[in-house]
Amino acid sequence: EIYLADELVGRFSLTKQMVSMKHSGKTMQHKLNLYSNGVNSLLQVKRVHDVSKASTPSAPSAPSAPSAQEGAETPDASAEEKMEQALEEALPLFLQTAWAAVVTDIDSTMKEVGRKLLKDKSVPWQIRVRRSQALQRLGEIFFEEGAKALASGESAKTMTSEVAKAVLQEALMASVKGK
């Protein structure tokens, strides 16, 4: 859109300025989302660390009777459950953070690819305009598919730990299968 507005309407036109601001807003939104998720992930890591610290025994002493051993197993089991629960609660947030990093990376990569493809002076301007129109249509298709995914409820924001585990397991199986 930026290139089309720049070439067809004019570099200093209101249309070009509006499209440029829209793109800058989306880029800032993606970066803010990444930073926000990163901070929340760090807080979750601290919480998991605190739970693991609380679950480790401070000074293990040699138990003199079997009843002392039985009493020690119960806190370990509950501490292990707390640790597992803390990790399960943190997993969707970790996936959201990873996805936000991927989105930011794709955003910057597409900007550079688009710049190289659309500012290529070795081809006539008509070809560059056609490339721009094709890229714009491709972006519209991706946007439509993303809207369909959000409408069907496949949002990462509502991901539970079970869904996150299933997604990770599916990705792992696909990566192992491919090799």
Side-chain angles (χ1 to χ4, degrees), residues 42-101:
L42 288 174
L43 291 174
Q44 283 290 349
V45 167
K46 182 182 179 335
R47 184 170 163 254
V48 168
H49 179 264
D50 291 345
V51 168
S52 71
K53 281 285 191 186
S55 67
T56 56
S58 57
S61 58
S64 59
S67 62
Q69 279 185 339
E70 289 173 13
E73 287 178 9
T74 310
D76 285 343
S78 69
E80 192 173 305
E81 286 177 15
K82 287 180 182 178
M83 178 72 168
E84 189 174 319
Q85 181 183 7
L87 283 172
E88 282 188 20
E89 290 173 3
L91 184 62
L93 185 60
F94 294 156
L95 284 178
Q96 286 177 7
T97 304
W99 180 248

Side-chain angles (χ1 to χ4, degrees), residues 9 67 71 92 94 99 129 134-135 149 163:
V9 181
S67 62
F94 294 156
W99 180 248
V129 168
L135 279 176
V163 173

